[in-house]
Amino acid sequence: MSNIAEININGNTYSLPIIEGSEKETAIDISKLRGQSGAITIDPGFKNTGSTKSAITFLDGERGILRYRGYPIEQLANKSSFLEVAYLLITGELPSAEELTEFQKKVSRHTLVHEDFKKILDGFPSTSHPMGVLSSLVTALTAFYPHSTDPARSWAQVNLSIVRIIAKMPTFAAWAYKNKVGQPIMYPRNDLDYCSNFLYMMFGLPSTEYHADPVIADAIDKLLILHADHEQNCSASTVRIVGSSQASLYASLSAGINALWGPLHGGANQAVIEMLEGIRADGGNVQKWMNKAKDKNDPFRLMGFGHRVYKNFDPRAKIIKRAADDVLGALGVVDPVLDIAKGLEEVALQDDYFIERKLYPNVDFYSGIIYRALGIPTEMFTVMFALGRLPGWIAQWKEMRENKEPIGRPRQVYIGATEREYVSIDKR
Ligand code: SDX
């Protein structure tokens, strides 16, 4: 196969190299196109445009494959733990038993945050969405660790910043929840595992004994694994482009949290539950809402369906759907919204509109149902997504910095007014 692509512009032919990835994906390297031809390419939403070469996550949308550093998501979800997966994503290799124990100890030692964070938290009214609180608290880390913002930061400093944010994110997330419900915050406990500690800070109260249900802690650990990375999605690309200006890890992660918040991205898990509850309140007529989703004049979309890359089942959705049945069964929870979700899925998978557009349930379609069964309030669903995606964002930021990638600065095609003379206001 020729490894050159030829492009003809106004009768001139330009040759561009074709590169091939380790999974035989091919890409045309257009980095010299403008210099040779004066032309650029344009691709709104970057649907056909690669931004980087990455060794972190591989996904095949047609075959429904997802692997972190080569390991299939199904194996990691069933056999690994979230902190082990975080170590894998960030370092590139699975840890030895000693390395994992050392990593867990380091994380445990950094879960506490400076008391002055309570003053920041107190500034947020209970109406604040936890995602806005979370991104603000993460940005505020730059104030408490000013060396973390130094562009000439050493890798030792970066690695310490990485441990700090992995350790403190559950504390911030739980405190954002406590701020919403008006309860006193709970301090982290280093004798608990990562997810049990999170649940303790979320649902514990100073006046009562709280012990996290292992079924719930295990389910959350699995959900965090399933959300840990997803190559160049909207929020990961945001983290990379913000970091490409040599902004700090914390500033870049805060930007990623805000990108994830959108209902077309990580905010979809909250939107799915709100949609299902709306359908239920409307009488549960699944076909009526399917018709609305297909009606071009109706802004309603079937949240939790469709994906930019997966044109087959999102492998995470399959695992989460099974886990939903297991967790609700184990907890003895009956949720009529789960039946509506299954009814919607059944109708959609047989509907030409969805089949033609290859719209399948994505990671967000069932995750909200599990979170709800676990007692996580709806407005915290996207915070759970951010908690899971954190190691992926870190790995993407670190890879971009290690590879010394240039500052991200796309071009454009100008379609505005051509040159014109200024007219004084008395003559307009
Ligand atoms: C995540 O990128 C990632 O990896 C993201 C993520 C991750 O792990 O980081 O996987 C997490 O964000 C999952 C997606 C969560 N979002 C939703 O569930 C929101 C509902 N889904 C859609 O808005 C949509 O499917 C997107 C945003 C996910 C993808 O949009 P695209 O790739 O830009 O596709 P599109 O909007 O151009 O849709 C193509 C066609 C259109 O119809 P036509 O114009 O061709 O007639 O499919 C239709 C769309 O109208 N369509 C839908 C639909 N999704 C797409 N129609 C009804 N309901 C939907 N959900």
Side-chain angles (χ1 to χ4, degrees):
M1 179 183 81
S2 157
N3 57 359
I4 293 287
E6 290 188 339
I7 185 171
N8 187 292
I9 302 174
N10 300 329
N12 299 312
T13 301
Y14 303 95
S15 299
L16 298 165
I18 291 176
I19 65 169
E20 186 178 86
S22 50
E23 289 288 346
K24 306 303 176 205
E25 298 163 297
T26 54
I28 302 169
D29 180 343
I30 58 167
S31 50
K32 297 197 168 36
L33 175 65
R34 188 171 185 277
Q36 290 176 11
S37 69
I40 63 169
T41 59
I42 189 161
D43 182 21
F46 311 112
K47 295 188 177 187
N48 304 283
T49 300
S51 59
T52 189
K53 290 182 268 190
S54 178
I56 300 168
T57 291
F58 170 72
L59 58 92
D60 181 316
E62 282 65 35
R63 293 185 291 160
I65 293 172
L66 172 58
R67 302 186 197 125
Y68 297 160
R69 299 288 188 179
Y71 295 96
I73 189 66
E74 295 81 3
Q75 294 179 28
L76 293 171
N78 292 325
K79 299 176 181 175
S80 186
S81 68
F82 176 61
L83 282 185
E84 183 176 74
V85 166
Y87 187 101
L88 169 66
L89 285 168
I90 293 167
T91 67
E93 297 298 334
L94 285 170
S96 66
E98 295 74 21
E99 287 167 333
L100 181 57
T101 302
E102 181 55 28
F103 183 60
Q104 288 166 328
K105 278 184 187 163
K106 278 184 187 173
V107 169
S108 286
R109 270 204 301 275
H110 288 277
T111 52
L112 193 62
V113 297
H114 193 289
E115 275 294 284
D116 285 354
F117 270 99
K118 287 164 53 178
K119 294 175 186 164
I120 300 171
L121 193 66
D122 288 345
F124 285 97
S126 59
T127 51
S128 309
H129 193 289
M131 283 295 275
V133 176
L134 183 66
S135 66
S136 304
L137 294 177
V138 170
T139 301
L141 281 170
T142 58
F144 293 87
Y145 303 104
H147 294 306
S148 69
T149 63
D150 176 3
R153 62 184 76 85
S154 68
W155 279 109
Q157 172 62 44
V158 169
N159 292 331
L160 177 56
S161 295
I162 288 171
V163 168
R164 279 184 173 137
I165 187 66
I166 289 177
K168 297 178 192 317
M169 195 80 147
T171 309
F172 286 158
W175 285 18
Y177 168 67
K178 288 298 195 186
N179 181 66
K180 182 121 198 87
V181 295
Q183 290 178 359
I185 57 169
M186 297 296 286
Y187 288 92
R189 281 181 44 186
N190 296 346
D191 60 319
L192 298 176
D193 65 65
Y194 197 78
C195 291
S196 301
N197 184 33
F198 170 66
L199 289 166
Y200 168 76
M201 292 188 285
M202 276 278 288
F203 299 121
L205 287 169
S207 51
T208 57
E209 276 288 300
Y210 175 86
H211 298 286
D213 181 334
V215 170
I216 295 179
D218 288 347
I220 287 184
D221 196 85
K222 177 181 281 203
L223 284 163
L224 295 183
I225 290 173
L226 291 168
H227 287 80
D229 191 55
H230 214 240
E231 55 131 284
Q232 303 311 313
N233 57 83
C234 176
S235 54
S237 298
T238 301
V239 169
R240 284 182 89 117
I241 203 163
V242 170
S244 73
S245 72
Q246 294 199 3
S248 70
L249 175 64
Y250 298 150
S252 306
L253 291 174
S254 180
I257 292 168
N258 287 308
L260 186 73
W261 194 354
L264 294 188
H265 190 15
N269 55 20
Q270 173 177 341
V272 166
I273 289 295
E274 289 164 351
M275 171 188 75
L276 294 172
E277 283 177 332
I279 293 172
R280 185 176 168 229
D282 182 56
N285 181 342
V286 164
Q287 192 55 56
K288 170 186 170 187
W289 289 87
M290 285 296 297
N291 295 338
K292 284 172 64 68
K294 298 189 293 182
D295 178 356
K296 287 297 167 208
N297 299 317
D298 190 321
F300 175 76
R301 276 201 162 183
L302 199 57
M303 302 310 278
F305 258 78
H307 198 277
R308 171 61 57 77
V309 178
Y310 288 123
K311 301 309 172 189
N312 193 323
F313 247 93
D314 181 334
R316 302 166 296 177
K318 281 184 185 173
I319 298 169
I320 292 176
K321 181 181 176 184
R322 274 199 305 275
D325 283 329
D326 297 348
V327 168
L328 271 70
L331 298 175
V333 170
V334 177
D335 186 347
V337 149
L338 176 59
D339 298 332
I340 291 178
K342 288 182 175 177
L344 265 177
E345 178 186 352
E346 191 180 331
V347 172
L349 295 183
Q350 295 166 40
D351 184 284
D352 288 345
Y353 174 96
F354 283 76
I355 292 168
E356 282 159 17
R357 291 165 181 80
K358 298 181 179 178
L359 303 176
Y360 291 88
N362 59 47
V363 66
D364 293 306
F365 190 62
Y366 284 104
S367 54
I369 291 163
I370 295 190
Y371 289 140
R372 198 155 92 142
L374 298 177
I376 307 281
T378 306
E379 278 204 329
M380 282 292 289
F381 288 2
T382 311
V383 170
M384 297 305 295
F385 196 140
L387 212 49
R389 185 52 52 88
L390 179 64
W393 287 332
I394 291 169
Q396 298 286 346
W397 185 92
K398 186 166 173 275
E399 181 179 71
M400 176 274 304
R401 295 303 310 277
E402 283 169 337
N403 295 343
K404 297 183 172 52
E405 293 190 8
I407 185 170
R409 200 269 184 226
R411 293 262 179 178
Q412 65 164 25
V413 173
Y414 178 70
I415 56 170
T418 51
E419 186 173 2
R420 51 184 172 169
E421 288 300 309
Y422 179 82
V423 177
S424 59
I425 194 158
D426 58 324
K427 293 191 174 63
R428 284 177 211 161

